[in-house]
Amino acid sequence: MAGKKVALSSVSLIFACGTALFSDGYANNVIGSVNTLLKRIYGTSGITTNYSTTLSSVAFAGTVVGMLTFGYLSDKVGRKFGMMSATGIVAVFSGLSAASSGANKSLDGMLAMLIACRFLLGIGVGAEYPCGSVSASEQSEEEGIAKNSHHRWLVLATNTMIDVGFVVGAFVPLVLYWIFGNNHLRAVWRLSLGLGVIPAAAVFIWRLRMEEPTRYKRDSMKNVRIPYGLVIKRYWRGLLGISLAWFIYDFITYPFGLYSSTITDSVTGGNSSLTVVFGWNVVINLFYIPGTVVGAFFVDLMGPKTTMITGLLAQAFIGFIMSGLYTQLSQHIGAFAVVYGIFLSFGEFGPGNCVGVLSAKSGPTAVRGQYYGVAAAIGKIGAFIGTWVFPIMITDFGGSSSSKGNTGPFWVASGLAILSALIVYFLVKPLDPDGMKEEDAKFRAYLEAHGFDVSLMGLPETETVSYADGKERDSVIKDADSATKVAV
């Protein structure tokens, strides 16, 4: 019974760290429906800003800033500080987004405030990656978590939460539209944004009593200069591979949201009813869930590297099928929707689940936040570039009214998935259970070999430390004044 309580407590801590990424999925997806509502309410005439495109993409810029800034703060100030700050930022600017208003009821002013709040909200969302995900990864190897489920719980607490956020972000505007109807669309878009406060505030309260993860207490460089030259020399290859893979994954995944309109238009004959548009948005986002949940159980069985490569190759295969049989599939929308759903699911099964695990567990604790933040930021840059490039690609292939225009991006995406699989195979190392403990021990030995004083690592209250032989000695005392350690 005691063992079960320990396990439940450990799993609870993993979810406390990672669940806030639900806000990422919700915030990124709900803005699509909000954009649709804004166009219905205000149109585009008389508005001086290109608000539709800006509103959709400005959060990416904020997310990149948050990932890079809080990646550093996560390592140098603390994981808990980063997590509490992230949820606080998301809660505040979700509320302010809903309350957006311009001077003298100016429409341009309201949209400018909304865009600014979306950027600042993006900083909070971006902060969750190197703070929440990194903390969840460190909690996943705590006592009480079975070795054959280390990666599974991390995936379920992070990427699966993002995907659930996507589904809820699509469903909430639909429910609010059912409640308020066509005559109160302003209430629908404001409440859709404002309800983002609830999950962020709930997680903020959940995290109040958390402590820093044990790995961070033992092996951080919070109080010592980080030898970046040595870090880059040892980890550049893996970081490059993971960053490129994440860039390609987001370059493919985010723009393919554009294809949801193909399914909707084909099924409904171009029906513009918000119930139909929002309803199909929910259905399309549900395709992500099977991939991430099933993949979570395979990631421990096959390992993150092998699972990621498998998912990428499977996604490429499905993409080639959709390209080659597009004309036939487009005439049977049910078959098209199913194959498209499988394409999305394999994306979550492989890179969607595994790129975060690999980023969080490949580097040492001392720079884990920055390692993860850099990889995630490069991924989001890929999403931003892909969102702008794919429409140009469709036009160059012949336009959306032609078969080549619609199939071209699938050919490109499938080819990039294969390229990503090759990058992962050659540049990224496999991960084992307890891999972080082993890597921290190797990192200490590496630093010692290059003359770095590893006795300065860790926090003053640290009681155990990883040694080069991979074992951890108990009853280690660290004197906060002299910054020395004595192994008892």
Side-chain angles (χ1 to χ4, degrees):
M1 184 64 71
K4 289 184 178 180
K5 287 183 178 179
V6 171
L8 287 173
S9 176
S10 299
V11 170
S12 176
L13 284 173
I14 298 172
F15 277 86
C17 295
T19 302
L21 287 169
F22 171 93
S23 297
D24 174 28
Y26 183 88
N28 277 325
N29 202 29
V30 76
I31 199 63
S33 298
V34 168
N35 229 336
T36 299
L37 291 165
L38 291 175
K39 290 178 182 177
R40 295 286 180 96
I41 298 169
Y42 306 111
T44 55
S45 60
I47 301 175
T48 57
T49 57
N50 183 13
Y51 75 89
S52 180
T53 303
T54 305
L55 190 59
S56 297
S57 58
V58 70
F60 285 137
T63 301
V64 171
V65 172
M67 288 170 170
L68 295 176
T69 302
F70 279 85
Y72 177 81
L73 294 176
S74 174
D75 290 332
K76 296 301 291 183
V77 179
R79 309 287 195 238
K80 183 176 180 179
F81 167 83
M83 289 190 291
M84 300 302 290
S85 300
T87 48
I89 292 170
V90 171
V92 168
F93 288 102
S94 291
L96 289 176
S97 295
S100 294
S101 179
N104 301 316
K105 297 184 179 181
S106 162
L107 180 56
D108 275 337
M110 183 202 75
L111 292 172
M113 178 177 174
L114 181 56
I115 288 168
C117 287
R118 286 290 300 176
F119 173 80
L120 295 168
L121 174 67
I123 293 177
V125 168
E128 279 295 343
Y129 283 78
C131 298
S133 293
V134 162
S135 296
S137 72
E138 291 168 347
Q139 296 289 357
S140 71
E141 293 191 8
E142 290 283 358
E143 293 294 329
I145 303 296
K147 286 192 176 184
N148 61 354
S149 63
H150 281 179
H151 305 323
R152 178 196 316 161
W153 290 119
L154 175 59
V155 168
L156 292 173
T158 54
N159 190 59
T160 301
M161 288 297 102
I162 295 175
D163 290 340
V164 172
F166 267 94
V167 174
V168 176
F171 188 57
V172 164
L174 174 61
V175 173
L176 291 173
Y177 178 70
W178 288 339
I179 294 171
F180 291 99
N182 271 316
N183 295 326
H184 301 284
L185 295 183
R186 288 175 176 82
V188 176
W189 79 259
R190 288 187 184 276
L191 281 173
S192 293
L193 294 177
L195 288 173
V197 172
I198 296 175
V203 174
F204 184 91
I205 295 170
W206 195 2
R207 290 172 167 177
L208 280 174
R209 295 186 178 181
M210 288 182 61
E211 296 183 0
E212 299 288 7
T214 304
R215 293 244 65 80
Y216 183 78
K217 291 180 180 180
R218 293 168 177 166
D219 294 299
S220 76
M221 287 186 170
K222 178 178 179 177
N223 301 313
V224 65
R225 178 188 58 82
I226 298 174
Y228 285 107
L230 293 176
V231 171
I232 293 170
K233 183 178 179 181
R234 178 173 173 82
Y235 293 103
W236 72 269
R237 183 185 180 94
L239 180 59
L240 176 64
I242 294 169
S243 298
L244 290 174
W246 205 329
F247 180 96
I248 293 171
Y249 168 67
D250 280 3
F251 182 90
I252 294 171
T253 299
Y254 281 86
F256 264 101
L258 298 171
Y259 284 87
S260 62
S261 60
T262 302
I263 299 174
T264 303
D265 289 343
S266 299
V267 171
T268 65
N271 194 323
S272 61
S273 165
L274 284 176
T275 299
V276 173
V277 172
F278 289 169
W280 272 97
N281 192 24
V282 174
V283 172
I284 290 164
N285 281 280
L286 280 169
F287 286 136
Y288 291 113
I289 303 300
T292 183
V293 172
V294 173
F297 290 87
F298 275 86
V299 74
D300 281 305
L301 181 65
M302 300 169 60
K305 178 176 179 177
T306 303
T307 304
M308 183 167 176
I309 292 173
T310 301
L312 285 166
L313 294 178
Q315 189 179 34
F317 178 73
I318 298 298
F320 285 135
I321 290 177
M322 294 190 73
S323 301
L325 301 178
Y326 179 83
T327 302
Q328 294 89 327
L329 287 171
S330 62
Q331 295 172 0
H332 303 280
I333 192 60
F336 183 88
V338 169
V339 176
Y340 179 69
I342 294 172
F343 178 84
L344 294 178
S345 288
F346 274 123
E348 294 307 294
F349 175 95
N353 281 351
C354 299
V355 72
V357 177
L358 290 167
S359 298
K361 295 193 173 188
S362 294
T365 297
V367 294
R368 182 166 291 122
Q370 294 165 86
Y371 188 103
Y372 193 105
V374 168
I378 291 173
K380 276 295 185 285
I381 292 171
F384 180 82
I385 293 174
T387 301
W388 286 91
V389 166
F390 263 52
I392 299 172
M393 191 187 307
I394 292 171
T395 300
D396 289 346
F397 271 106
S400 58
S401 60
S402 69
S403 179
K404 287 185 178 180
N406 284 318
T407 59
F410 280 104
W411 288 110
V412 172
S414 299
L416 287 175
I418 293 176
L419 174 62
S420 182
L422 291 172
I423 289 171
V424 173
Y425 180 79
F426 286 108
L427 296 181
V428 179
K429 67 178 183 179
L431 293 177
D432 298 318
D434 285 333
M436 288 191 292
K437 181 174 71 175
E438 296 172 4
E439 186 56 47
D440 281 342
K442 292 176 181 177
F443 183 58
R444 278 178 174 270
Y446 169 76
L447 292 177
E448 283 185 304
H450 288 81
F452 187 87
D453 184 3
V454 297
S455 70
L456 301 177
M457 296 172 65
L459 304 184
E461 65 271 23
T462 300
E463 295 182 350
T464 59
V465 62
S466 299
Y467 284 75
D469 59 6
K471 296 181 179 180
E472 294 175 350
R473 310 287 194 260
D474 293 325
S475 302
V476 175
I477 303 169
K478 181 171 182 179
D479 187 327
D481 295 323
S482 62
T484 58
K485 289 182 181 178
V486 182
V488 180

PDB file of all heavy atoms in Angstrom, residues 25-46:
ATOM      1  N   GLY A  25      -1.718  24.032 -25.843  1.00  0.00           N
ATOM      2  CA  GLY A  25      -2.620  23.521 -26.866  1.00  0.00           C
ATOM      3  C   GLY A  25      -3.892  24.352 -26.965  1.00  0.00           C
ATOM      4  O   GLY A  25      -4.355  24.675 -28.074  1.00  0.00           O
ATOM      5  N   TYR A  26      -4.456  24.713 -25.807  1.00  0.00           N
ATOM      6  CA  TYR A  26      -5.707  25.491 -25.805  1.00  0.00           C
ATOM      7  C   TYR A  26      -5.496  26.868 -26.438  1.00  0.00           C
ATOM      8  O   TYR A  26      -6.251  27.274 -27.324  1.00  0.00           O
ATOM      9  CB  TYR A  26      -6.215  25.647 -24.368  1.00  0.00           C
ATOM     10  CG  TYR A  26      -7.542  26.377 -24.290  1.00  0.00           C
ATOM     11  CD1 TYR A  26      -8.742  25.673 -24.380  1.00  0.00           C
ATOM     12  CD2 TYR A  26      -7.599  27.764 -24.141  1.00  0.00           C
ATOM     13  CE1 TYR A  26      -9.962  26.340 -24.328  1.00  0.00           C
ATOM     14  CE2 TYR A  26      -8.803  28.439 -24.093  1.00  0.00           C
ATOM     15  CZ  TYR A  26      -9.984  27.719 -24.179  1.00  0.00           C
ATOM     16  OH  TYR A  26     -11.188  28.370 -24.142  1.00  0.00           O
ATOM     17  N   ALA A  27      -4.448  27.565 -25.988  1.00  0.00           N
ATOM     18  CA  ALA A  27      -4.213  28.932 -26.479  1.00  0.00           C
ATOM     19  C   ALA A  27      -3.907  28.951 -27.968  1.00  0.00           C
ATOM     20  O   ALA A  27      -4.380  29.836 -28.701  1.00  0.00           O
ATOM     21  CB  ALA A  27      -3.060  29.568 -25.699  1.00  0.00           C
ATOM     22  N   ASN A  28      -3.126  27.982 -28.453  1.00  0.00           N
ATOM     23  CA  ASN A  28      -2.766  27.951 -29.869  1.00  0.00           C
ATOM     24  C   ASN A  28      -3.956  27.600 -30.754  1.00  0.00           C
ATOM     25  O   ASN A  28      -4.058  28.099 -31.879  1.00  0.00           O
ATOM     26  CB  ASN A  28      -1.630  26.946 -30.113  1.00  0.00           C
ATOM     27  CG  ASN A  28      -0.271  27.536 -29.819  1.00  0.00           C
ATOM     28  OD1 ASN A  28      -0.031  28.710 -30.051  1.00  0.00           O
ATOM     29  ND2 ASN A  28       0.631  26.717 -29.298  1.00  0.00           N
ATOM     30  N   ASN A  29      -4.851  26.755 -30.267  1.00  0.00           N
ATOM     31  CA  ASN A  29      -5.942  26.312 -31.120  1.00  0.00           C
ATOM     32  C   ASN A  29      -7.158  27.220 -31.045  1.00  0.00           C
ATOM     33  O   ASN A  29      -7.840  27.435 -32.044  1.00  0.00           O
ATOM     34  CB  ASN A  29      -6.357  24.877 -30.766  1.00  0.00           C
ATOM     35  CG  ASN A  29      -7.082  24.196 -31.917  1.00  0.00           C
ATOM     36  OD1 ASN A  29      -6.836  24.504 -33.075  1.00  0.00           O
ATOM     37  ND2 ASN A  29      -7.965  23.285 -31.612  1.00  0.00           N
ATOM     38  N   VAL A  30      -7.457  27.757 -29.867  1.00  0.00           N
ATOM     39  CA  VAL A  30      -8.667  28.552 -29.724  1.00  0.00           C
ATOM     40  C   VAL A  30      -8.591  29.817 -30.566  1.00  0.00           C
ATOM     41  O   VAL A  30      -9.627  30.343 -31.000  1.00  0.00           O
ATOM     42  CB  VAL A  30      -8.905  28.906 -28.230  1.00  0.00           C
ATOM     43  CG1 VAL A  30      -7.973  30.019 -27.776  1.00  0.00           C
ATOM     44  CG2 VAL A  30     -10.369  29.287 -28.000  1.00  0.00           C
ATOM     45  N   ILE A  31      -7.374  30.299 -30.856  1.00  0.00           N
ATOM     46  CA  ILE A  31      -7.258  31.537 -31.610  1.00  0.00           C
ATOM     47  C   ILE A  31      -7.766  31.375 -33.039  1.00  0.00           C
ATOM     48  O   ILE A  31      -8.198  32.344 -33.670  1.00  0.00           O
ATOM     49  CB  ILE A  31      -5.789  32.048 -31.602  1.00  0.00           C
ATOM     50  CG1 ILE A  31      -5.750  33.539 -31.972  1.00  0.00           C
ATOM     51  CG2 ILE A  31      -4.918  31.217 -32.529  1.00  0.00           C
ATOM     52  CD1 ILE A  31      -6.464  34.433 -30.991  1.00  0.00           C
ATOM     53  N   GLY A  32      -7.733  30.140 -33.578  1.00  0.00           N
ATOM     54  CA  GLY A  32      -8.280  29.915 -34.915  1.00  0.00           C
ATOM     55  C   GLY A  32      -9.768  30.190 -34.954  1.00  0.00           C
ATOM     56  O   GLY A  32     -10.275  30.875 -35.855  1.00  0.00           O
ATOM     57  N   SER A  33     -10.494  29.684 -33.965  1.00  0.00           N
ATOM     58  CA  SER A  33     -11.937  29.932 -33.889  1.00  0.00           C
ATOM     59  C   SER A  33     -12.217  31.398 -33.591  1.00  0.00           C
ATOM     60  O   SER A  33     -13.166  31.987 -34.130  1.00  0.00           O
ATOM     61  CB  SER A  33     -12.562  29.043 -32.808  1.00  0.00           C
ATOM     62  OG  SER A  33     -12.397  27.673 -33.116  1.00  0.00           O
ATOM     63  N   VAL A  34     -11.396  32.006 -32.720  1.00  0.00           N
ATOM     64  CA  VAL A  34     -11.567  33.425 -32.404  1.00  0.00           C
ATOM     65  C   VAL A  34     -11.368  34.271 -33.650  1.00  0.00           C
ATOM     66  O   VAL A  34     -12.118  35.231 -33.910  1.00  0.00           O
ATOM     67  CB  VAL A  34     -10.591  33.853 -31.289  1.00  0.00           C
ATOM     68  CG1 VAL A  34     -10.546  35.375 -31.149  1.00  0.00           C
ATOM     69  CG2 VAL A  34     -10.987  33.206 -29.971  1.00  0.00           C
ATOM     70  N   ASN A  35     -10.381  33.912 -34.461  1.00  0.00           N
ATOM     71  CA  ASN A  35     -10.138  34.629 -35.709  1.00  0.00           C
ATOM     72  C   ASN A  35     -11.352  34.551 -36.625  1.00  0.00           C
ATOM     73  O   ASN A  35     -11.752  35.539 -37.257  1.00  0.00           O
ATOM     74  CB  ASN A  35      -8.910  34.039 -36.411  1.00  0.00           C
ATOM     75  CG  ASN A  35      -7.931  35.111 -36.848  1.00  0.00           C
ATOM     76  OD1 ASN A  35      -8.299  36.256 -37.049  1.00  0.00           O
ATOM     77  ND2 ASN A  35      -6.678  34.726 -37.002  1.00  0.00           N
ATOM     78  N   THR A  36     -11.951  33.357 -36.711  1.00  0.00           N
ATOM     79  CA  THR A  36     -13.158  33.181 -37.518  1.00  0.00           C
ATOM     80  C   THR A  36     -14.279  34.085 -37.017  1.00  0.00           C
ATOM     81  O   THR A  36     -14.984  34.733 -37.808  1.00  0.00           O
ATOM     82  CB  THR A  36     -13.617  31.712 -37.473  1.00  0.00           C
ATOM     83  OG1 THR A  36     -12.583  30.878 -38.005  1.00  0.00           O
ATOM     84  CG2 THR A  36     -14.884  31.509 -38.279  1.00  0.00           C
ATOM     85  N   LEU A  37     -14.424  34.144 -35.698  1.00  0.00           N
ATOM     86  CA  LEU A  37     -15.475  34.975 -35.102  1.00  0.00           C
ATOM     87  C   LEU A  37     -15.213  36.457 -35.349  1.00  0.00           C
ATOM     88  O   LEU A  37     -16.149  37.220 -35.651  1.00  0.00           O
ATOM     89  CB  LEU A  37     -15.561  34.699 -33.602  1.00  0.00           C
ATOM     90  CG  LEU A  37     -16.101  33.323 -33.204  1.00  0.00           C
ATOM     91  CD1 LEU A  37     -15.790  33.047 -31.737  1.00  0.00           C
ATOM     92  CD2 LEU A  37     -17.602  33.236 -33.452  1.00  0.00           C
ATOM     93  N   LEU A  38     -13.975  36.884 -35.224  1.00  0.00           N
ATOM     94  CA  LEU A  38     -13.646  38.291 -35.448  1.00  0.00           C
ATOM     95  C   LEU A  38     -13.967  38.710 -36.874  1.00  0.00           C
ATOM     96  O   LEU A  38     -14.457  39.823 -37.116  1.00  0.00           O
ATOM     97  CB  LEU A  38     -12.163  38.540 -35.144  1.00  0.00           C
ATOM     98  CG  LEU A  38     -11.745  38.426 -33.670  1.00  0.00           C
ATOM     99  CD1 LEU A  38     -10.236  38.582 -33.541  1.00  0.00           C
ATOM    100  CD2 LEU A  38     -12.457  39.459 -32.813  1.00  0.00           C
ATOM    101  N   LYS A  39     -13.685  37.832 -37.829  1.00  0.00           N
ATOM    102  CA  LYS A  39     -13.999  38.137 -39.224  1.00  0.00           C
ATOM    103  C   LYS A  39     -15.507  38.257 -39.431  1.00  0.00           C
ATOM    104  O   LYS A  39     -15.975  39.120 -40.175  1.00  0.00           O
ATOM    105  CB  LYS A  39     -13.428  37.048 -40.135  1.00  0.00           C
ATOM    106  CG  LYS A  39     -11.919  37.042 -40.242  1.00  0.00           C
ATOM    107  CD  LYS A  39     -11.445  35.891 -41.120  1.00  0.00           C
ATOM    108  CE  LYS A  39      -9.927  35.839 -41.185  1.00  0.00           C
ATOM    109  NZ  LYS A  39      -9.448  34.676 -41.980  1.00  0.00           N
ATOM    110  N   ARG A  40     -16.265  37.381 -38.762  1.00  0.00           N
ATOM    111  CA  ARG A  40     -17.723  37.432 -38.886  1.00  0.00           C
ATOM    112  C   ARG A  40     -18.276  38.725 -38.276  1.00  0.00           C
ATOM    113  O   ARG A  40     -19.217  39.314 -38.791  1.00  0.00           O
ATOM    114  CB  ARG A  40     -18.361  36.236 -38.179  1.00  0.00           C
ATOM    115  CG  ARG A  40     -18.038  34.873 -38.786  1.00  0.00           C
ATOM    116  CD  ARG A  40     -18.786  34.653 -40.098  1.00  0.00           C
ATOM    117  NE  ARG A  40     -18.469  33.354 -40.661  1.00  0.00           N
ATOM    118  CZ  ARG A  40     -19.207  32.256 -40.485  1.00  0.00           C
ATOM    119  NH1 ARG A  40     -20.301  32.314 -39.731  1.00  0.00           N
ATOM    120  NH2 ARG A  40     -18.864  31.121 -41.044  1.00  0.00           N
ATOM    121  N   ILE A  41     -17.709  39.143 -37.163  1.00  0.00           N
ATOM    122  CA  ILE A  41     -18.236  40.305 -36.434  1.00  0.00           C
ATOM    123  C   ILE A  41     -17.789  41.616 -37.068  1.00  0.00           C
ATOM    124  O   ILE A  41     -18.591  42.520 -37.312  1.00  0.00           O
ATOM    125  CB  ILE A  41     -17.777  40.273 -34.964  1.00  0.00           C
ATOM    126  CG1 ILE A  41     -18.310  39.027 -34.262  1.00  0.00           C
ATOM    127  CG2 ILE A  41     -18.268  41.526 -34.225  1.00  0.00           C
ATOM    128  CD1 ILE A  41     -17.675  38.787 -32.897  1.00  0.00           C
ATOM    129  N   TYR A  42     -16.474  41.719 -37.341  1.00  0.00           N
ATOM    130  CA  TYR A  42     -15.911  43.005 -37.733  1.00  0.00           C
ATOM    131  C   TYR A  42     -15.522  43.087 -39.206  1.00  0.00           C
ATOM    132  O   TYR A  42     -15.307  44.189 -39.707  1.00  0.00           O
ATOM    133  CB  TYR A  42     -14.673  43.322 -36.880  1.00  0.00           C
ATOM    134  CG  TYR A  42     -14.938  43.260 -35.389  1.00  0.00           C
ATOM    135  CD1 TYR A  42     -14.381  42.249 -34.599  1.00  0.00           C
ATOM    136  CD2 TYR A  42     -15.750  44.200 -34.767  1.00  0.00           C
ATOM    137  CE1 TYR A  42     -14.622  42.188 -33.236  1.00  0.00           C
ATOM    138  CE2 TYR A  42     -16.000  44.143 -33.402  1.00  0.00           C
ATOM    139  CZ  TYR A  42     -15.438  43.131 -32.649  1.00  0.00           C
ATOM    140  OH  TYR A  42     -15.686  43.070 -31.299  1.00  0.00           O
ATOM    141  N   GLY A  43     -15.409  41.947 -39.891  1.00  0.00           N
ATOM    142  CA  GLY A  43     -14.959  41.956 -41.265  1.00  0.00           C
ATOM    143  C   GLY A  43     -13.535  42.442 -41.370  1.00  0.00           C
ATOM    144  O   GLY A  43     -12.754  42.350 -40.415  1.00  0.00           O
ATOM    145  N   THR A  44     -13.165  42.997 -42.505  1.00  0.00           N
ATOM    146  CA  THR A  44     -11.810  43.528 -42.692  1.00  0.00           C
ATOM    147  C   THR A  44     -11.816  44.980 -43.161  1.00  0.00           C
ATOM    148  O   THR A  44     -10.777  45.627 -43.168  1.00  0.00           O
ATOM    149  CB  THR A  44     -11.047  42.681 -43.733  1.00  0.00           C
ATOM    150  OG1 THR A  44     -11.813  42.636 -44.947  1.00  0.00           O
ATOM    151  CG2 THR A  44     -10.841  41.263 -43.234  1.00  0.00           C
ATOM    152  N   SER A  45     -12.966  45.485 -43.548  1.00  0.00           N
ATOM    153  CA  SER A  45     -13.030  46.853 -44.052  1.00  0.00           C
ATOM    154  C   SER A  45     -12.841  47.855 -42.913  1.00  0.00           C
ATOM    155  O   SER A  45     -13.363  47.679 -41.811  1.00  0.00           O
ATOM    156  CB  SER A  45     -14.373  47.104 -44.735  1.00  0.00           C
ATOM    157  OG  SER A  45     -15.433  46.918 -43.818  1.00  0.00           O
ATOM    158  N   GLY A  46     -12.086  48.878 -43.151  1.00  0.00           N
ATOM    159  CA  GLY A  46     -11.898  49.928 -42.171  1.00  0.00           C
ATOM    160  C   GLY A  46     -10.857  49.610 -41.106  1.00  0.00           C
ATOM    161  O   GLY A  46     -10.647  50.401 -40.196  1.00  0.00           O
TER     162      GLY A  46
END
